[in-house]
């Protein structure tokens, strides 16, 4: 008698749910780190994947965890409104990961088409696994059941752009840009940004190979899918990831071939690479050793080389002055919320005031490093006037030798209403509309080209 092979175990509901548990656990941990410990998502994700709690997760589960986190953050206002409806006594204090479990569970139910039995069962298991949340397992079950039954109607009754923008940012954007534009900005954050590449050459060829599109300024746009390191051309250094708007400031320096250019605040080096490819002799300065290491790795992959200096660019004084300077200053990054949906929950008005102080010191030092007649491009990926328009106006008031060198209509974005009126570049995340939201948008950037007369 031959021993018959045991029949494959039929997938049971419970087993299926356990299969999805590690991805949900990772999502709740990531949300906990961002929302309760105020850590940037990219940092926690990096640590979790490189040897941390996501190290052993298959690619599919990693992608699911990232999608749950992205949806939870992008739609947090709507989801919170639904949860608050059903949390009669509010959220209990000292409940460990209870809130991230509810937030991510409701995100799956309301926005990700996850079947209720799976999303609810997995959320209850997560609560039972956390010593501080486990006494609330019945609450998780009851609240998420009500979310599944009645939540969609509540969420649908809210304006998603307004509901998912925290008041501090909404109020700022209404003050700075008016309500209609604030609404357009907020609406653009509901969709994940596409992925733009700056290519060394042959944009059409790369767009075809990578199933992307060539944008009017020459960047190649892809949908944000897959591991970028595995795409053709990455390891050969044929292109690098850089939002179409982020590729504009370095180009505003004009012809830099053979010129001595300082790239202050240079890491991870997207703009350094552009300057090097344009033939400049670049000194790349950054105060972070870790980020300079990343810049060196990136340049090496691209087959490029710059002199690198680890220094505080607000006080750095080399012996020789520069023909041109790019100051891409540290900022609140509110122009990049489409790709960093954690920013609204990590930054505050106080951070913006502090960053504006640092930017002013960086600008003053940059001016002192510029040869008379030299060009300085100051840029930030921020939508806040304190980090852009007001910063440049204050610099010009402090220093009468500084003038705006206006964008010409034939330069990228030089024919926009904005550039025509002020000579500066100001982009918004709702600009560059292609045929669908997934392919549209750009980072919100500010950039001014300045000259020093005497
Ligand atoms: C907006 S990022 C620069 C991005 C870069 N230009 C690019 O295109 O890839 C700002 C950089 O400024 C650096 N930084 C912050 N404060 C600085 C300072 N006081 N001196 C020099 N670098 C600084 C940060 O480490 C960070 O790498």
């Amino acid at each position: 008698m031959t021993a018959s092979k045991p029949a494959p175990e039929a997938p049971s509901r419970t087993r299926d749910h356990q299969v999805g548990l590690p991805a949900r656990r990772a999502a709740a941990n990531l949300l906990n780190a961002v929302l309760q410990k105020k850590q940037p998502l990219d940092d926690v994700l990096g640590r979790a994947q490189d040897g941390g709690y996501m190290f052993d997760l298959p690619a599919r589960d990693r992608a699911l965890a990232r999608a749950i986190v992205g949806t939870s953050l992008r739609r947090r206002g709507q989801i919170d409104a639904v949860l608050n409806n059903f949390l009669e006594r509010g959220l209990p204090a000292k409940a460990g990961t209870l809130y991230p479990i509810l937030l991510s569970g409701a995100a799956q139910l309301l926005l990700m088409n996850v079947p209720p039995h799976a999303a609810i069962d997995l959320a209850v298991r997560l609560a039972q696994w956390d010593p501080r949340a486990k006494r609330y397992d019945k609450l998780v079950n009851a609240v998420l059941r009500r979310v599944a039954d009645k939540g969609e109607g509540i969420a649908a009754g809210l304006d998603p752009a307004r509901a998912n923008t925290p008041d501090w940012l909404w109020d700022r954007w209404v003050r700075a840009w008016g309500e209609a534009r604030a609404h357009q900005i907020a609406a653009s954050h509901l969709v994940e940004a596409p992925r733009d590449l700056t290519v060394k050459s042959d944009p059409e060829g790369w767009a075809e190979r990578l199933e992307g599109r060539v944008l009017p300024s020459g960047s190649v746009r892809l949908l944000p899918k897959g591991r970028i390191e595995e795409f053709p051309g990455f390891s050969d250094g044929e292109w690098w990831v850089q939002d179409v708007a982020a590729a504009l400031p370095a180009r505003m320096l004009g012809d830099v071939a053979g010129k001595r250019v300082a790239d202050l605040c240079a890491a991870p080096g997207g703009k350094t690479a552009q300057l090097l490819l344009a033939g400049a002799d670049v000194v790349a300065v950054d105060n972070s050793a870790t980020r300079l290491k990343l810049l060196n790795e990136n340049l090496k992959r691209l087959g490029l080389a710059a002199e690198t200096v680890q220094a505080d660019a607000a006080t750095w004084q080399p012996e020789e002055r520069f023909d041109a300077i790019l100051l891409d200053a540290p900022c609140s990054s509110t122009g990049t919320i489409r790709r960093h949906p954690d920013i609204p929950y990590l930054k505050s008005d106080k951070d913006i005031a502090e960053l504006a102080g640092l930017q002013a010191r960086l600008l003053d030092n940059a001016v002192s490093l510029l040869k008379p007649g030299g060009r300085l491009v100051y840029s930030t990926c921020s939508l806040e006037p304190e980090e852009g328009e007001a910063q440049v106006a204050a610099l010009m008031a402090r220093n009468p030798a500084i003038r705006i060198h206006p964008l010409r209509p034939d330069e990228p974005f030089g024919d926009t209403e904005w550039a025509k009126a002020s000579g500066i570049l100001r982009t918004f995340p709702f600009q560059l509309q292609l045929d669908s939201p997934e392919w549209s948008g750009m980072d919100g950037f500010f950039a001014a080209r300045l000259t020093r007369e005497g």
Side-chain angles (χ1 to χ4, degrees), residues 265-271 286-288 291 311-313 328-330:
C265 304
K271 298 177 187 70
D286 204 283
N287 68 348
S288 155
R291 288 176 62 88
D312 176 359
D328 184 36

Side-chain angles (χ1 to χ4, degrees), residues 14-268:
T14 323
R15 254 171 52 83
D16 273 349
H17 298 177
Q18 277 169 346
V19 168
L21 198 59
R24 268 71 175 194
R25 185 174 294 162
N29 282 343
L30 292 167
L31 285 168
N32 194 46
V34 172
L35 298 175
Q36 288 172 344
K37 300 183 192 154
K38 303 284 174 203
Q39 296 172 351
L41 178 58
D42 279 356
D43 294 359
V44 276
L45 197 52
R47 285 197 298 273
Q49 293 183 157
D50 301 342
Y53 53 80
M54 290 176 77
F55 181 68
D56 285 334
L57 285 192
R60 204 193 51 184
D61 282 1
R62 286 182 176 202
L64 175 59
R66 285 196 300 266
I68 295 173
V69 171
T71 306
S72 303
L73 293 173
R74 244 174 249 292
R75 298 283 185 152
R76 186 181 178 198
Q78 273 176 298
I79 301 171
D80 276 353
V82 173
L83 288 174
N84 289 338
N85 238 276
F86 303 130
L87 279 164
E88 277 139 23
R89 276 181 252 146
L91 263 178
K94 295 189 182 154
T97 51
L98 174 64
Y99 172 62
I101 291 170
L102 287 172
L103 177 67
S104 54
Q108 294 167 62
L109 290 167
L110 296 170
L111 299 149
M112 298 179 74
N113 287 327
V114 175
H117 60 82
I120 298 170
D121 184 45
L122 288 167
V124 170
R125 280 164 193 270
L126 281 188
Q128 287 166 344
W129 169 79
D130 175 350
R132 285 201 286 170
K134 75 175 176 207
R135 64 201 150 117
Y136 300 109
D137 61 345
K138 290 194 178 54
L139 176 88
V140 170
N141 185 46
V143 169
L144 289 184
R145 273 183 194 288
R146 297 177 74 184
V147 170
D149 285 348
K150 300 216 167 59
E152 231 174 82
I154 300 169
L158 298 166
D159 166 20
R162 176 65 192 92
N164 294 303
T165 306
D167 291 346
W168 77 277
L169 275 176
W170 179 263
D171 293 345
R172 280 189 149 268
W173 296 337
V174 171
R175 271 198 310 274
W177 312 115
E179 187 149 354
R181 225 180 238 128
H183 196 272
Q184 282 178 292
I185 293 170
S188 70
H189 298 152
L190 300 172
V191 181
E192 187 179 352
R195 206 183 247 164
D196 295 341
L197 310 180
T198 298
V199 296
K200 282 185 176 170
S201 61
D202 188 20
E204 279 79 16
W206 283 112
E208 203 181 310
R209 252 164 287 174
L210 300 171
E211 296 177 14
R213 298 175 181 197
V214 183
L215 300 178
S217 57
S219 294
V220 172
R221 175 159 288 185
L222 316 179
L223 290 179
K225 287 185 194 144
R227 274 174 53 77
I228 198 79
E229 296 82 358
E230 289 163 8
F231 288 17
F234 177 86
S235 49
D236 303 327
E238 291 295 333
W239 45 257
W240 62 98
V241 176
Q242 184 175 45
D243 186 86
V244 60
L248 302 175
R251 291 168 66 170
M252 285 167 62
L253 282 176
D255 181 7
V256 288
K259 291 195 178 149
R260 198 173 129 74
V261 180
D263 184 357
L264 305 178
C265 304

